[in-house]
Amino acid sequence: MRQYGPSFGIGFVAGMRSMSACAALTWAASQGRTRGDLIPSGPRARALATTFAAAEMAGDKMPFAPDRRIPPSFALRLAIGAVGGWALTRRGGSPEYSALAGVAGAIAGTLLGRSARGGDSHTAADRSLGLVEDAVAAGLAVIVVRSAEPERQSGLSRSI
């Protein structure tokens, strides 16, 4: 079960901050810690994903920010969790189960993150909790990237 930890973790990050998970995946890919060529790893991809992650964190505190549980947002988080889980499959692990672990993490991150923030997302206290959630998402993303196994040497370069 431990072999699916990074997959669940990246899904959890996607549930909390979808673009933070995308940024973490680009950084993991740049270190050769993802499977396949699906995740871009070049410096432009990393810069763009990291910029979008920071923008999402800032936008999340705005009074017009939509609830993460609305169907399009929730579906996106599930998709990022699945792709991220698949990309972080460990040796000996099943890519399908890794994708499912990513989806499970995205569900948990979405629902627990929203529950921790409370019902009103427009108060100063909620914005403070949002900052804490940002820190947790960023810290977990770093842990996930560091815990992901390096891919076997393939000699292929993945960059944009």
Side-chain angles (χ1 to χ4, degrees):
M1 200 62 174
R2 184 175 179 213
Q3 66 192 27
Y4 300 110
S7 296
F8 182 87
I10 200 67
F12 200 91
V13 172
M16 296 172 73
R17 296 285 181 268
S18 57
M19 290 310 302
S20 292
C22 293
L25 287 167
T26 63
W27 284 95
S30 74
Q31 298 171 12
R33 296 178 180 269
T34 59
R35 68 188 307 267
D37 295 333
L38 183 64
I39 309 296
S41 63
R44 287 186 296 173
R46 291 191 313 271
L48 189 62
T50 302
T51 300
F52 283 161
E56 179 187 34
M57 288 180 180
D60 178 66
K61 314 308 175 288
M62 300 298 161
F64 54 81
D67 190 307
R68 68 185 81 191
R69 298 171 300 173
I70 62 172
S73 178
F74 195 58
L76 177 66
R77 292 166 194 278
L78 295 177
I80 293 169
V83 170
W86 174 87
L88 296 179
T89 300
R90 289 183 165 210
R91 284 189 242 346
S94 161
E96 294 83 9
Y97 288 154
S98 293
L100 288 174
V103 169
I107 292 169
T110 299
L111 299 179
L112 291 174
R114 179 65 177 108
S115 176
R117 292 277 294 271
D120 183 8
S121 62
H122 308 305
T123 66
D126 179 67
R127 285 188 287 279
S128 296
L129 289 173
L131 292 172
V132 170
E133 187 178 12
D134 293 342
V136 170
L140 181 57
V142 169
I143 291 168
V144 166
V145 169
R146 286 186 176 171
S147 70
E149 287 182 344
E151 184 180 39
R152 290 178 208 90
Q153 295 295 343
S154 65
L156 298 177
S157 174
R158 290 173 290 183
S159 64
I160 287 187

